[in-house]
């Protein structure tokens, strides 16, 4: 009798216990910040040539100009010197991936 009860009660208790939140449960995750993505049917134009101004400080990094999607059109974002928010971060340029009948755009971002 005890064996039959154990084979029924224990799985039921486990099933019910996993669906209800308890104070002992925690959620772990990593915040990577916002990652912007978009899709366009037309390719981005060729990058523009730019001149770098004088570096404002030793911790500043050059973020080269790039095309980004704004209101269903490509808009040029001029190059600039930026100081990363976190030490050791580096700039990841925007990416344009040709897919099927268009382009998937992944916005540039700071990464560690």
């Amino acid at each position: 009798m005890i064996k039959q009860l154990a084979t029924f009660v224990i799985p039921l208790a486990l099933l019910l216990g996993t669906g209800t939140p308890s104070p002992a449960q925690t959620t772990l995750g990593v915040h990577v910040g916002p990652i912007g993505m978009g899709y366009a049917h037309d390719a981005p134009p060729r990058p523009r040539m730019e001149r770098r101004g004088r570096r404002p400080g030793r911790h500043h990094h050059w973020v080269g100009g790039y095309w980004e999607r704004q209101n269903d059109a490509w808009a040029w974002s001029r190059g600039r010197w930026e100081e990363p928010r976190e030490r050791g971060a580096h700039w990841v340029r925007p990416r344009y991936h040709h897919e099927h009948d268009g382009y998937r755009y992944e916005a540039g971002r700071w990464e560690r």
Side-chain angles (χ1 to χ4, degrees), residues 6-105:
T7 57
F8 177 73
V9 172
I10 292 174
L12 182 63
L14 289 173
L15 181 66
L16 292 174
T18 57
T20 57
S22 71
Q25 290 178 342
T26 57
T27 302
L28 298 176
V30 177
H31 178 69
V32 293
I35 297 177
M37 289 188 155
Y39 191 81
H41 291 287
D42 57 328
R46 296 182 76 166
R48 294 180 178 174
M49 295 298 294
E50 295 183 309
R51 293 185 103 164
R52 292 184 191 189
R54 189 172 180 181
R55 188 178 191 175
R58 68 184 197 118
H59 296 293
H60 285 75
H61 296 273
W62 178 251
V63 174
Y66 54 91
W67 291 102
E68 63 182 341
R69 251 348 232 193
Q70 291 181 1
N71 300 326
D72 269 353
W74 291 107
W76 180 251
S77 181
R78 292 185 0 207
R80 63 201 177 273
W81 289 102
E82 275 192 20
E83 189 171 2
R85 292 184 185 152
E86 293 184 45
R87 187 180 175 119
H90 66 279
W91 177 253
V92 177
R93 292 187 58 79
R95 297 182 181 135
Y96 313 94
H97 305 279
H98 185 260
E99 293 181 352
H100 309 291
D101 62 343
Y103 292 82
R104 182 171 47 93
Y105 165 72

